[in-house]
Amino acid sequence: MSATGLPRDVRMNLERSVVLLVDDNPQALELLSAMFRGFGVHRQVKSTSAKDAQNIVKSRELDLIVIDTAMPGMSGYDFVRWLRREAPEDARFTPVIMLTGHAARATVESSRDCGANFILAKPFTPEVLLQRIYWVAKDERQIVCCETYVGPDRRFKNMGPPLGKKGRRKDDLTGKLGVAKEPNMVQDEIDALMRPQKVQL
Amino acid sequence: MSEAQFIKPRYKLTDQIGREGGMTAGMAGERARRELSAEEEKARQAVRATIARIEDLCRTRDAGMDAVYDLSTEVLDVAGLYDDRPLSESAYALCELTDRLRTTGREDWSAVKVFVEAMKGIWAAEGPARDQIKSVLEGLWALIDHVKMPEAEEPAA
């Protein structure tokens, strides 16, 4: 296992994926691009503003969008809200990973309701980002569309731990069986249960 | 939309990621780290320049806390992609300080200056000096605790 929990020997092929990277900080955008080059993503589209990213979404087919949250003008949150509600229909549910630094007070509610698949807080390692990409690709959640929210179903209950993670979520059924209420069955009783029997209809 | 609709999208990424070829997660992680290393000198220069700009603002005081917030976000943006936790945490703490100050309509350049000095110290720290960073960060958070938010204030007696 790697430090992230994603097994190191899991194979991933991102050679044909088209990824849109959006960050208003040119230096951070270059670094993000370098990370994706390392992941084998050759088809990258880069943008330093959410407004430009809107035009890219309208004109290109994308497989994944990775966007910074805090940007001047249109924020990453506003972009995802637009994507989920107003973008061309075939692009509307493109998976989105949002990268966040500091969550300013004014944006906390926006981040909760914007409809991104995952939000990843900085600092992070390349392995953690790769794990989120893997999770997005294997994400089986439905998209919920209602007046106040459009995005992946946020109810993880009973879905078990994320892929590649061991353990249980807080609300999952416990693994403890408790104390036996009856004595153990003897082998003859078990055999009797397994024996084929005639069924009366 | 009156009732919630549920849609099960089929992501192209799901098909692509499972195609033959590609590489292992371990290999992809190592390659990404190599790519980042190649950019490291430029990134370090950018961080150094941004910290210097915050320091200039402390001297001239001709901008508000919004400007300091934006610059500390820049430091966090770059340091965060290198998983530089001490520098990221100090930049995050400066974001928190300036966010609290601007939310309550205040400015405190002396406090910002303390953060800048701390960031410069963290930036320069190597070897045993890195062991002291934890206490520096604790000091920064203790300073932030003194900047009370309106909802945290005690009700008047």
Side-chain angles (χ1 to χ4, degrees):
Chain A
M1 296 281 263
S2 70
T4 64
L6 188 64
R8 287 178 59 86
D9 57 355
V10 166
R11 284 200 89 80
M12 300 170 72
N13 191 344
L14 294 166
E15 280 167 16
R16 294 195 187 182
S17 306
V18 184
V19 180
L20 171 61
L21 307 172
V22 191
D23 196 319
D24 64 302
N25 181 338
Q27 189 67 50
L29 186 60
E30 277 313 307
L31 296 175
L32 201 55
S33 170
M35 259 193 217
F36 274 88
R37 267 200 310 275
F39 297 158
V41 178
H42 308 301
R43 297 159 80 186
Q44 303 179 6
V45 189
K46 290 182 265 184
S47 170
T48 51
S49 82
K51 280 275 173 208
D52 287 345
Q54 280 183 314
N55 293 328
I56 293 165
V57 167
K58 287 175 191 166
S59 61
R60 291 197 65 160
E61 217 172 298
L62 302 163
D63 301 314
L64 175 68
I65 299 172
V66 180
I67 185 166
D68 189 35
T69 52
M71 289 187 285
M74 186 184 225
S75 72
Y77 305 120
D78 293 336
F79 171 84
V80 180
R81 198 168 289 109
W82 167 83
L83 179 78
R84 298 289 187 235
R85 291 164 187 269
E86 294 169 52
E89 213 156 298
D90 52 353
R92 206 166 278 180
F93 302 129
T94 308
V96 177
I97 297 174
M98 299 197 80
L99 307 179
T100 177
H102 178 263
R105 275 164 185 74
T107 63
V108 170
E109 213 168 290
S110 312
S111 77
R112 194 193 59 197
D113 295 335
C114 72
N117 293 66
F118 288 103
I119 297 179
L120 182 54
K122 291 176 189 171
F124 59 79
T125 59
E127 287 82 1
V128 169
L129 179 58
L130 192 66
Q131 185 187 46
R132 296 304 187 277
I133 296 168
Y134 187 74
W135 285 0
V136 164
K138 303 287 179 184
D139 196 352
E140 294 196 344
R141 287 178 292 168
Q142 291 182 311
I143 297 286
V144 181
C145 304
C146 65
E147 213 162 278
T148 52
Y149 177 75
V150 182
D153 194 339
R154 292 180 295 197
R155 297 168 299 177
F156 278 96
K157 200 173 175 185
N158 295 332
M159 285 181 67
L163 283 159
K165 285 271 184 193
K166 284 183 179 172
R168 292 169 180 273
R169 289 183 186 274
K170 184 164 62 73
D171 297 330
D172 286 351
L173 292 173
T174 170
K176 289 181 183 168
L177 295 173
V179 182
K181 290 187 174 172
E182 293 172 11
N184 289 343
M185 286 193 280
V186 295
Q187 192 58 48
D188 287 348
E189 288 174 310
I190 297 169
D191 291 343
L193 284 175
M194 304 300 285
R195 193 176 303 132
Q197 292 181 8
K198 193 185 279 181
V199 178
Q200 280 189 335
L201 296 172
Chain B
M1 266 184 276
S2 54
E3 279 186 19
Q5 289 181 311
F6 292 87
I7 297 164
K8 183 81 189 79
R10 177 81 188 154
Y11 299 135
K12 269 200 324 173
L13 190 67
T14 310
D15 300 328
Q16 287 163 352
I17 217 164
R19 279 176 197 267
E20 275 195 24
M23 61 186 97
T24 63
M27 194 188 297
E30 281 158 23
R31 280 171 44 121
R33 282 176 187 277
R34 273 202 302 274
E35 292 280 354
L36 282 176
S37 293
E39 302 284 333
E40 193 164 353
E41 191 44 47
K42 271 192 280 180
R44 287 182 70 85
Q45 280 173 11
V47 169
R48 199 177 298 126
T50 308
I51 295 174
R53 280 163 67 197
I54 303 174
E55 200 172 17
D56 277 348
L57 288 183
C58 287
R59 199 166 38 247
T60 59
R61 300 188 179 188
D62 58 0
M65 290 295 109
D66 279 340
V68 181
Y69 181 87
D70 291 343
L71 289 171
S72 45
T73 301
E74 280 183 30
V75 176
L76 179 53
D77 273 345
V78 175
L81 290 172
Y82 280 98
D83 198 30
D84 184 336
R85 284 172 188 267
L87 189 61
S88 298
E89 195 177 330
S90 61
Y92 184 95
L94 182 53
C95 287
E96 182 63 25
L97 173 81
T98 47
D99 192 36
R100 284 186 186 207
L101 289 170
R102 69 183 184 173
T103 306
T104 50
R106 287 178 284 171
E107 287 188 358
D108 187 342
W109 289 103
S110 317
V112 174
K113 180 76 179 155
V114 170
F115 277 71
V116 171
E117 290 304 323
M119 284 162 82
K120 283 165 64 180
I122 289 168
W123 181 253
E126 280 176 23
R130 279 246 153 187
D131 297 339
Q132 308 297 319
I133 287 172
K134 195 172 172 233
S135 58
V136 172
L137 292 171
E138 282 169 359
L140 295 180
W141 283 107
L143 186 57
I144 289 171
D145 285 342
H146 286 287
V147 183
K148 285 200 170 119
M149 297 303 292
E151 64 270 21
E153 281 170 5
E154 293 290 320

